[in-house]
Amino acid sequence: MYKQGIYKETDRMSDLICDNYPMLLVMSRFGISLGFGEKTIGEVCRLNNVDTFTFLSVVNFLIEDSPIVTEDVLRKLSLETLIKYLHNAHDYFLNFRLPHIRRKLTDAISSCPGDVAFVISKYFDEYAEEVNKHMSYEEHTVFTYVSSLLKGEKDDKYNIAIFRKRHDQIEAKITELKYILIRYYPGESSHILNSVLFDIFATEEDLTTHTRVEDFLFVPAIMIYEELRS
């Protein structure tokens, strides 16, 4: 069971991680490594040049599982820190998580009839390409726009509302793949297949929380920043 509540900068980082192990991914996406001993969250953030308020805002937002974020919190967020967090999350999904699942999936369906294995592999590859396009747009268009905005460079042809309108969900196809494997896998269940399914479930949940950070923290914070400089 995860610990529910508000974490403060005086709490130990080790307690945060041990009580809520999914925060390992959050911590790493802020560029924080393990080996922090008994240091507090504030001490670890400062040692890693991470804005403590932004780190705690993301952590508490995800742990509380609540979309309610006050304007005061949004105004205090470090946009540079949020961009780093989101960029590292993209790198994790595209260069580690999805390739890792693809390799395990190949092993899991190796004994399937060739046509079935082809369809499952093709379905996954199409999904991975969809995620890549989604995140590449954010990297090359959205983050570039925000970085320029932070430098005082205004783009009259683009704003964060454009991104907000086209910010589609990317979890649907992997959910379908999960159901295909559960319902129609044509062979005996195996440890490797169960491991793949576990990874797919975890990735589906991880992508959902990633999208929530974008929708309820990043985008609203940018909208406020735009208003202040309009």
Side-chain angles (χ1 to χ4, degrees):
M1 178 180 291
Y2 304 153
K3 178 179 178 181
Q4 302 294 314
I6 301 296
Y7 281 88
K8 306 179 294 296
E9 66 173 286
T10 53
D11 293 322
R12 291 187 303 181
M13 183 69 83
S14 58
D15 289 339
L16 167 65
I17 302 304
C18 289
D19 292 338
N20 306 273
Y21 69 84
M23 293 303 109
L24 268 172
L25 292 176
V26 173
M27 184 188 72
S28 67
R29 289 168 191 173
F30 277 105
I32 299 173
S33 301
L34 297 172
F36 35 71
E38 298 297 310
K39 292 183 177 65
T40 66
I41 292 173
E43 289 172 334
V44 174
C45 284
R46 286 188 287 274
L47 284 171
N48 288 272
N49 297 313
V50 173
D51 182 71
T52 306
F53 181 85
T54 303
F55 176 84
L56 284 169
S57 296
V58 172
V59 163
N60 288 320
F61 171 76
L62 294 177
I63 290 175
E64 291 188 293
D65 196 30
S66 171
I68 300 174
V69 182
T70 66
E71 185 172 328
D72 182 56
V73 168
L74 294 172
R75 289 177 181 273
K76 294 178 181 178
L77 292 174
S78 165
L79 299 180
E80 294 90 345
T81 301
L82 269 182
I83 289 177
K84 177 181 179 181
Y85 168 85
L86 296 173
H87 169 75
N88 287 340
H90 292 171
D91 181 69
Y92 170 80
F93 285 119
L94 297 177
N95 297 317
F96 175 76
R97 190 67 169 188
L98 292 178
H100 177 68
I101 294 177
R102 182 63 167 84
R103 289 191 295 270
K104 291 173 68 174
L105 180 63
T106 299
D107 290 341
I109 63 177
S110 60
S111 60
C112 291
D115 56 340
V116 175
F118 174 79
V119 170
I120 292 175
S121 298
K122 186 172 183 291
Y123 201 94
F124 180 86
D125 291 342
E126 289 174 350
Y127 168 71
E129 179 59 25
E130 183 179 307
V131 175
N132 183 64
K133 288 180 179 178
H134 178 100
M135 294 183 174
S136 292
Y137 170 78
E138 294 177 3
E139 290 285 335
H140 299 299
T141 301
V142 181
F143 294 171
T144 298
Y145 163 73
V146 174
S147 295
S148 297
L149 191 66
L150 294 175
K151 296 175 184 176
E153 303 169 6
K154 188 176 181 181
D155 186 343
D156 294 328
K157 297 181 180 179
Y158 193 85
N159 58 58
I160 203 66
I162 295 174
F163 169 63
R164 189 179 195 179
K165 289 177 182 177
R166 61 163 289 171
H167 193 209
D168 53 339
Q169 302 296 312
I170 54 176
E171 301 89 9
K173 205 171 187 70
I174 200 170
T175 301
E176 292 174 15
L177 175 62
K178 175 182 67 179
Y179 288 142
I180 288 172
L181 289 172
I182 292 173
R183 295 171 178 170
Y184 305 114
Y185 180 76
E188 295 183 4
S189 294
S190 64
H191 294 311
I192 186 67
L193 175 62
N194 290 337
S195 179
V196 169
L197 282 169
F198 185 87
D199 285 350
I200 290 174
F201 273 104
T203 300
E204 180 185 22
E205 182 178 343
D206 196 6
L207 283 168
T208 298
T209 60
H210 175 75
T211 300
R212 289 180 61 243
V213 170
E214 291 178 329
D215 288 344
F216 294 103
L217 290 176
F218 181 67
V219 170
I222 300 301
M223 294 182 76
I224 290 174
Y225 192 87
E226 287 175 334
E227 290 176 4
L228 292 174
R229 277 142 188 82
S230 61

